[in-house]
Amino acid sequence: MMLFVDIDRDWAAPLLAQRLSGLGRPLHATAHSLERALGELGERCRQVEVLSPFITSPVGPDELEQLPALRLICTRSTGFDHIDLAAVHARGICVCNVPVYGDNTVAEHTFALILSLSRRLRRTYDRVGHDELRVSDLEGFDLRGKTLGIIGTGHIGLRVAQIARGFSMRVVAYDPYEQPLLADVVGFSYLGFDSVLGEADIVTLHCPYRQETHHLLDTSAFAAMKRGALLINTARGGLVDTSALVDALHSGRIGGAGLDVLEHESMILDEDHARAGLMDMESMRATVLNHHLLSRDNVVFTPHVGFNSREANERIFLTTAESIGAFYAGTPINRVFPPERPIGRDPVGAAGQGER
Ligand code: NAI
């Protein structure tokens, strides 16, 4: 049996059934988490050969014990840190992920945030219907001719650069691993980190969150930015020191922020967590700071939905179906465990640490 848990789109189960019908194996798809699905399946768990969870269903020794026939786990995410690899290794189970599904999706969302700020959409929307609507208060600025500073030119950063060139923007970028050929083709230049901050009218973050990138944008980084520049963050909240960002907005050091991610967002966005009183002092402080941040009309916020387009979600399911088909054909693809190739400069280790 192939067991799909955490299925929250109506169209997903029919799509999977159609794509996997040729395998001649029963398919069970449920909106419930793995834990709940195992309880519901009872003895039928013993027939599960393939499991496909999302990051919301941890897979560890307890779950694996109930799945004695399991051969393949296909997580519908890039990250796989919700899967206990030691437990999986002991059982010889293969793990596949979805390595790429939405670089253009997140890049387009980045521009949704940029344009919301450049055309003052929040303020404009709030003022519509008010008696004293003054168009002069709502004046925005053109992107054409402005400089975009990209921090991290991986999959998403490169798409952002391409879109920016389409807007006739000048693009500068910082990445410790430069790709000069791609920079030439797309039409941007690499500079040092501080130079990117100093030259950009808009700085956008597209690098991974790690110990060494924690608070990459802190007080001194904001001081290095052009006065009145904008900050966009669709990568991870921990890249930005929220307190320094609030100060920089308050002092006018920066002119606005477009955020799809926040520090401590899992605690803040998860109401159950908050209601259960599970916030520590640090998260409470972050909640208060984020409240200050989000109440400003030069800040636009979306709740970590940069990846969430119909096309990106479809790609996730189609890639998962392909991985299962390839596994049964004896030619696995998208395998992250056991690793297909030596771990390179970034991908597998980074993705395993919690990328969506
Ligand atoms: P990627 O791994 O393709 O690219 C990351 C780039 O950052 C690499 O070129 C790497 O060399 C560079 N980098 C590493 N350390 C750096 C540093 N200190 N300064 C500047 N650059 C550095 O990753 P991808 O797919 O482009 O994703 C970028 C980020 O977007 C992810 O790390 C993730 O946090 C975030 N993301 C957000 C989503 C959302 O829904 N908002 C969805 C998917 C990813």
Side-chain angles (χ1 to χ4, degrees):
M1 182 200 293
M2 298 178 284
L3 173 61
F4 290 80
V5 296
D6 310 311
I7 300 279
D8 62 353
R9 318 279 150 149
D10 296 345
W11 48 263
L15 179 76
L16 289 167
Q18 187 233 332
R19 290 287 163 149
L20 296 169
S21 60
L23 296 177
R25 288 175 163 81
L27 184 156
H28 183 82
T30 170
H32 297 151
S33 67
L34 176 59
E35 188 186 4
R36 197 157 153 198
L38 291 177
E40 285 162 2
L41 280 175
E43 270 302 296
R44 290 171 64 209
C45 291
R46 307 188 69 77
Q47 299 160 22
V48 174
E49 279 187 353
V50 174
L51 167 67
S52 177
F54 189 53
I55 51 173
T56 39
S57 279
V59 186
D62 291 350
E63 290 76 21
L64 293 178
E65 202 183 315
Q66 298 175 65
L67 300 166
L70 190 65
R71 296 170 59 200
L72 173 67
I73 301 172
C74 271
T75 183
R76 298 192 307 280
S77 56
T78 305
F80 46 91
D81 59 335
H82 53 300
I83 299 169
D84 182 333
L85 293 183
V88 160
H89 178 63
R91 284 272 305 276
I93 294 165
C94 176
V95 180
C96 296
N97 74 341
V98 181
V100 176
Y101 61 89
D103 26 325
N104 65 298
T105 308
V106 181
E108 287 176 24
H109 194 77
T110 301
F111 270 84
L113 296 174
I114 291 176
L115 289 162
S116 299
L117 291 170
S118 67
R119 304 315 299 260
R120 294 176 174 260
L121 290 193
R122 180 172 176 177
R123 181 181 291 187
T124 305
Y125 186 79
D126 286 349
R127 301 271 171 97
V128 170
H130 285 221
D131 288 343
E132 57 326 333
L133 176 88
R134 289 197 328 185
V135 173
S136 57
D137 286 345
L138 308 177
E139 188 177 77
F141 66 85
D142 288 353
L143 296 186
R144 185 188 171 93
K146 298 292 185 308
T147 299
L148 181 70
I150 300 177
I151 307 295
T153 52
H155 293 97
I156 297 170
L158 281 176
R159 284 293 300 164
V160 168
Q162 286 176 319
I163 298 173
R165 296 293 295 138
F167 276 95
S168 302
M169 298 183 84
R170 173 179 172 248
V171 180
V172 293
Y174 168 73
D175 192 307
Y177 304 94
E178 298 186 356
Q179 304 190 65
L181 190 64
L182 280 173
D184 264 5
V185 173
V186 176
F188 67 90
S189 340
Y190 281 108
L191 299 175
F193 181 67
D194 282 342
S195 303
V196 169
L197 297 184
E199 294 202 12
D201 299 293
I202 303 168
V203 172
T204 182
L205 304 181
H206 301 289
C207 57
Y209 176 65
R210 306 223 181 94
Q211 209 174 356
E212 61 274 19
T213 56
H214 176 73
H215 288 183
L216 188 66
L217 261 77
D218 55 9
T219 305
S220 65
F222 285 118
M225 281 172 71
K226 244 185 189 178
R227 190 161 189 87
L230 305 179
L231 172 70
I232 307 295
N233 188 7
T234 58
R236 284 294 180 268
L239 294 171
V240 178
D241 178 345
T242 313
S243 166
L245 173 59
V246 170
D247 289 347
L249 284 161
H250 186 68
S251 66
R253 175 80 243 159
I254 70 164
L259 309 169
D260 187 47
V261 287
L262 294 174
E263 257 191 297
H264 300 287
E265 66 183 21
S266 55
M267 293 234 176
I268 294 159
L269 297 175
D270 181 353
E271 286 179 26
D272 289 345
H273 211 101
R275 267 201 296 272
L278 292 175
M279 276 197 187
D280 57 23
M281 280 311 287
E282 198 189 351
S283 338
M284 256 188 247
R285 188 171 156 272
T287 306
V288 172
L289 277 171
N290 282 318
H291 175 75
H292 281 306
L293 190 63
L294 304 186
S295 56
R296 305 185 65 93
D297 74 359
N298 58 350
V299 172
V300 287
F301 168 66
T302 51
H304 206 146
V305 294
F307 72 100
N308 192 23
S309 74
R310 173 67 185 248
E311 290 79 2
N313 286 314
E314 268 179 14
R315 276 193 291 276
I316 289 172
F317 281 99
L318 292 175
T319 305
T320 301
E322 273 173 33
S323 299
I324 295 171
F327 177 80
Y328 276 121
T331 49
I333 55 170
N334 304 321
R335 195 176 76 193
V336 288
F337 193 85
E340 277 175 350
R341 50 188 174 268
I343 294 175
R345 72 169 208 218
D346 219 3
V348 174
Q353 285 159 24
E355 306 299 302
R356 184 164 244 148

